[in-house]
Every structure is written in structure tokens, then in C-alpha cells.
Amino acid sequence: MDIRSLTTAQLKEEMVRLGEKPFRAGQIFDWLHVKQVGSIDEMTDISKALREKLKAEYTLSNIEIVEKLISKQDNTRKYLFDLGNDIIIESVLMKYSYGNAVCISSQAGCRMGCRFCASTVDGLERSLTAGEMALQVYKIQQDIGERISNIVIMGSGEPLDNYDQLIAFLKIMGEGIKIGQRHITVSTCGLADRIEQLAQLKLQITLAISLHAPNDDIRRMTMPIANKYSIDRVIGAAKDYANVTGRRVTYEYALIKGVNDSEDNAHELAQRLCGSLCHVNLIPVNDVRENNFIRSEERTIKAFADILQAKGIETTIRRRLGSDINAACGQLRKHYKDKTK
Ligand code: SAH
């Protein structure tokens, strides 16, 4: 068990189990998530005997930066991290006027199989622990020497396919470096049953749904998960999430030329989303070497946005940050792995 993946409450239970005083949990948590130490021996106010016990009982996740690329265009930074045993993941830092946002990975690889996505090409290697998710934030914060204010879980992996570690991670962020739920976005390809489960927790995180299609026929062409959950079920779960939490849901829609970008597609999407608490983020699809999807033309994207907006659906077109450093969607990790194979 990774000790860095335990919330304060879980650490307290562990201390009781080990016959230690519960207040030790707070001290240990502070070392792991505020001081962010790399080894248990650095916990100098913990007795040697307890440190030895911790070392025997738990593992401690650690990750190392193996490559860092800084965009000349917009200060976006891409990090490749080594998790040990040749497991490589990537994270991105984006500087905005409101603060520093990091996009982190929740799994090494992914098993969802979306056809436009580079992260899924070689399948899932393994899920990350909550500690490994947290370390991406800590390492980037240390590297830039500035506070991280926002987190998006939109790197490689499907966060709701790693549900328990995700929930622990969200709690740890609030307890340690105090990034509140309203500053965290979780993006999912639409695991409807997990979305329903998440809604029950009544957290204040932003939910982003990777929809990418206006109906099941088109969605099934690019996203295998659409065979398991219908678009009605996914949107239904997202609408319930908005109702239960009062949080506006984001729908992500990557525009692929000739696949999902017609005016009819826009009208159909508008009809499905009309009247719900939501926001649509249109993304010009990034070319991935392994597939032959082509980005929609700029005027097509604009026309698509206009149709949604005319129906009262708030719509933005995503700015492309870091395009000179392959900052998008699992591309860098894939290139690195191909290079070092
Ligand atoms: N599994 C989660 C989070 C990781 S993917 C999810 O599906 O939401 C993060 C976002 O990038 C998703 O919206 C995904 O659909 C999108 N994406 C993946 N490949 C892309 C590409 N080539 N171009 C544009 N967006 C892409």
C-alpha cells in the first residue's frame, strides 16, 4: 500500500491499527503532502522505531522528471515523469491570467480505446496511485517555484476507471496543498455508472464529459465506450450531476473533419443539451500519427459554435497551447516511448 495515497482519515485508521497515537497521522500527512519528502527517513519528528515500522508496512510513491519541454509560443510546459519500471506518464503546465493550471495523468496508457487518442494506442499499462497523481502537481510546483491553483485530470488515462484512487487524490489535494474542489476538473469519456456514483458524493469538482458526437451512431465510430453506455444515459448522468451539485458540466467536443462537424450535427447536439446547466468546449482535433482524422476547418468550427450559441448554449473554442511541444493528448509520451524502445 502506498502511504502517499492515504487521506488523513485513512492514515489515522492506520495509526490505530499499528497501535500508534492518531495524531501521528497529521504529522506524517504533512511530511508527505506539504513538505513533500521523498523518503520516510526524512520525517525527523517521527521516532526511528515508527519510521522503521512505516517502511516495513508501506511503499512510498516517487516520480522523477525525465524530460521537460517549454513552449516558445506560450510558456506551456510539458513534463515526462518516470514512475519506475519504465512506466512513463506526462503532465502539462498551462499558465493563465488567473493562475497556474496543471493537466495530470490518472493512468499510464488507457484501455478506453478512443480512436482519435494517442494515449490508448498501446492500451493500459497500469493505473496510478493517488500519491502518483499528487506528485505530478508537487513536482511541477517545485519546478516553477509558484503555486498551482488549478488541476485538470485530462492527461492520459480514464480517471473514473481508477475511481477509488481518484477520490483519495481529490481529498488529499484539499487537505494538503489546499486546492479546493472548485479548482479541479475531472474529465471522463462517459462511464455513466461512475458518474452517478460520483454525484452521490456531492463534491464540488467540475465534471467534463468527452462527448465528441451528437448521437450514438457517430459516437460509436470513434469511442468504443459508446457501445456500453448510450449517449442518452451519459448526458442523463451528467445532467443529474449538475442538478445534484449545482455545478455546470463541460462537454468536450473534438471536431473531426467530415465525421462530426456538420451543421446537422451541431443542431442535434444543441437539441440534446438545450436547457441544461452546461458549457461546450469545441476542440480542433489534434492529428495523431496512428490515425487519419483531420481537424475541421476554422470556418466550420466557427459555424458549429454559432449554431450552439444561437440555441443559448455557452460555447468556447479551445485555444491550442503548446502545439510546438506536442503538448496535446498523450502525444509526447508516445513519441518518447517509441524513441526509447
Ligand atoms: N479519459 C478522459 C481524460 C483523458 S483525455 C476523457 O476521455 O475525458 C482528455 C481529453 O482529450 C478528452 O476530451 C479526449 O477526448 C481528448 N482527446 C484525446 N485525443 C484527442 C485528440 N487527438 N484531439 C483532441 N482531443 C483529444
Side-chain angles (χ1 to χ4, degrees):
M1 189 175 7
D2 172 25
I3 191 169
R4 211 191 292 274
S5 298
L6 302 176
T7 63
T8 312
Q10 289 169 329
L11 265 176
K12 271 192 192 137
E13 283 170 24
E14 288 295 309
M15 288 307 112
V16 173
R17 183 176 71 82
L18 298 179
E20 298 288 335
K21 298 251 162 32
F23 79 88
R24 294 280 173 219
Q27 285 178 307
I28 294 170
F29 188 91
D30 194 66
W31 282 111
L32 295 172
H33 298 286
V34 181
K35 301 190 188 86
Q36 300 161 6
V37 292
S39 69
I40 286 173
D41 277 329
E42 289 167 67
M43 303 181 179
T44 46
D45 58 1
I46 305 288
S47 72
K48 181 126 199 319
L50 177 52
R51 277 186 270 149
E52 292 306 320
K53 214 192 269 185
L54 296 179
K55 281 194 270 180
E57 287 282 332
Y58 309 100
T59 56
L60 174 61
S61 53
N62 268 313
I63 69 174
E64 297 286 338
I65 299 177
V66 286
E67 206 168 299
K68 177 168 86 179
L69 298 174
I70 304 178
S71 166
K72 292 187 183 66
Q73 298 167 348
D74 50 38
N75 263 327
T76 297
R77 287 183 185 208
K78 183 110 190 188
Y79 295 85
L80 275 182
F81 289 108
D82 187 349
L83 274 52
N85 299 323
D86 285 331
I87 303 278
I88 301 289
I89 53 152
E90 61 185 64
S91 324
V92 185
L93 166 78
M94 294 157 290
K95 289 184 163 255
Y96 292 108
S97 51
Y98 59 78
N100 295 314
V102 291
C103 171
I104 66 161
S105 293
S106 57
Q107 297 179 315
C110 184
R111 59 183 183 136
M112 296 296 125
C114 302
R115 287 187 49 218
F116 43 77
C117 180
S119 297
T120 205
V121 175
D122 297 325
L124 174 67
E125 285 182 306
R126 72 164 169 85
S127 287
L128 269 55
T129 65
E132 288 168 333
M133 291 187 242
L135 281 164
Q136 297 169 61
V137 181
Y138 304 160
K139 294 280 174 178
I140 293 176
Q141 189 158 274
Q142 288 159 15
D143 187 59
I144 63 169
E146 290 173 26
R147 183 171 186 270
I148 301 298
S149 56
N150 294 68
I151 300 171
V152 294
I153 307 170
M154 244 187 229
S156 65
E158 167 50 47
L160 298 188
D161 188 36
N162 186 15
Y163 186 82
D164 293 341
Q165 292 300 306
L166 171 76
I167 301 303
F169 166 75
L170 298 173
K171 290 188 182 149
I172 289 169
M173 285 299 102
E175 295 171 351
I177 56 174
K178 308 227 179 308
I179 299 185
Q181 290 168 4
R182 287 169 176 257
H183 299 273
I184 303 181
T185 298
V186 173
S187 178
T188 174
C189 65
L191 304 187
D193 49 1
R194 292 295 192 189
I195 297 171
E196 288 155 9
Q197 202 178 340
L198 187 66
Q200 300 303 315
L201 298 181
K202 295 196 171 53
L203 304 180
Q204 284 295 298
I205 55 170
T206 299
L207 182 66
I209 308 282
S210 298
L211 202 61
H212 304 321
N215 58 46
D216 281 323
D217 285 346
I218 297 178
R219 204 160 190 264
R220 285 180 192 137
M221 282 165 50
T222 55
M223 301 181 72
I225 195 69
N227 294 306
K228 186 156 182 203
Y229 304 104
S230 70
I231 194 165
D232 281 337
R233 172 110 192 263
V234 174
I235 293 177
K239 285 180 177 171
D240 284 345
Y241 183 88
N243 288 338
V244 169
T245 61
R247 301 287 294 160
R248 189 179 70 163
V249 169
T250 298
Y251 291 97
E252 291 163 277
Y253 196 107
L255 285 155
I256 311 172
K257 191 174 181 174
V259 174
N260 63 0
D261 64 349
S262 73
E263 296 195 356
D264 281 351
N265 297 157
H267 284 291
E268 191 174 359
L269 179 66
Q271 204 159 15
R272 285 196 191 277
L273 302 183
C274 210
S276 71
L277 184 61
C278 76
H279 161 248
V280 173
N281 193 12
L282 297 175
I283 313 162
V285 78
N286 290 298
D287 307 333
V288 175
R289 206 173 31 186
E290 285 72 15
N291 67 43
N292 43 19
F293 294 125
I294 299 169
R295 180 175 310 147
S296 305
E297 321 236 328
E298 224 161 287
R299 62 186 157 83
T300 314
I301 299 176
K302 178 78 177 46
F304 201 98
D306 286 346
I307 290 169
L308 295 177
Q309 267 153 353
K311 292 273 166 64
I313 297 168
E314 200 184 310
T315 305
T316 47
I317 300 173
R318 185 183 290 175
R319 268 194 309 145
R320 296 187 68 230
L321 292 176
S323 53
D324 58 330
I325 54 167
N326 260 322
C329 311
Q331 295 177 352
L332 188 66
R333 166 175 175 273
K334 180 90 183 68
H335 290 185
Y336 181 86
K337 288 184 56 179
D338 290 348
K339 203 170 69 190
T340 55
K341 237 176 223 167

